[in-house]
Amino acid sequence: VEMIQRACPRLKNLILDGCLGITAIQENGWKSKPLLFAELKQLSIKRCSNLRCVRLIAPMGIRIERDDASDIPIFEILGISLF
């Protein structure tokens, strides 16, 4: 997901469905920091059973959808204001 963040800095919708290979959505490294998605409006996570950590910086008011099967122990969305 870090590669998507670098390649698509103006991403508006991130939909992950059945992504068993993704274990974390955060910046890689020993000091894992949240990924910045400055224009993200929707985050949808479904059937991602290996996902254990979501750490994002996104606009306040982002729409988040998660199913019950995606039990994510660390789920942090830090809101930013664009104004």
Side-chain angles (χ1 to χ4, degrees):
V1 178
E2 187 175 4
M3 185 173 69
I4 294 171
Q5 184 261 346
R6 279 187 268 132
C8 308
R10 300 183 72 193
L11 188 72
K12 301 217 183 310
N13 299 299
L14 180 58
I15 300 169
L16 303 172
D17 190 345
C19 299
L20 301 178
I22 296 177
T23 58
I25 300 174
Q26 64 184 359
E27 193 173 289
N28 289 330
W30 69 276
K31 270 190 154 179
S32 298
K33 297 186 281 187
L35 286 177
L36 172 63
F37 285 98
E39 297 186 28
L40 195 64
K41 295 179 188 266
Q42 175 187 1
L43 172 64
S44 178
I45 300 172
K46 297 181 180 177
R47 300 181 306 134
C48 299
S49 57
N50 295 325
L51 187 58
R52 294 289 168 246
C53 178
V54 174
R55 297 183 74 219
L56 298 178
I57 300 171
M60 291 188 294
I62 182 175
R63 182 174 172 218
I64 299 171
E65 297 176 353
R66 291 176 25 185
D67 63 359
D68 291 338
S70 297
D71 181 30
I72 305 167
I74 300 170
F75 198 91
E76 300 173 358
I77 307 290
L78 304 173
I80 57 172
S81 176
L82 300 177
F83 302 104

CSV table of all heavy atoms in Angstrom, one decimal, residues 33 77 83:
chain,number,residue,atom,x,y,z
A,33,LYS,N,5.4,4.8,10.6
A,33,LYS,CA,4.6,6.0,10.7
A,33,LYS,C,3.3,5.8,9.8
A,33,LYS,O,3.3,5.0,8.9
A,33,LYS,CB,5.4,7.2,10.2
A,33,LYS,CG,6.6,7.6,11.0
A,33,LYS,CD,7.2,8.8,10.6
A,33,LYS,CE,8.0,8.6,9.3
A,33,LYS,NZ,8.8,9.8,8.9
A,77,ILE,N,-6.7,6.3,12.4
A,77,ILE,CA,-6.9,7.3,11.3
A,77,ILE,C,-6.8,8.7,11.9
A,77,ILE,O,-7.6,9.1,12.7
A,77,ILE,CB,-8.3,7.2,10.6
A,77,ILE,CG1,-8.6,5.8,10.1
A,77,ILE,CG2,-8.4,8.2,9.4
A,77,ILE,CD1,-7.7,5.3,9.0
A,83,PHE,N,-8.3,23.0,5.1
A,83,PHE,CA,-8.6,24.4,5.0
A,83,PHE,C,-7.7,25.1,5.9
A,83,PHE,O,-7.4,24.7,7.0
A,83,PHE,CB,-10.1,24.7,5.3
A,83,PHE,CG,-11.0,24.0,4.3
A,83,PHE,CD1,-11.7,22.9,4.7
A,83,PHE,CD2,-11.1,24.4,3.0
A,83,PHE,CE1,-12.5,22.2,3.9
A,83,PHE,CE2,-11.9,23.7,2.1
A,83,PHE,CZ,-12.6,22.6,2.6
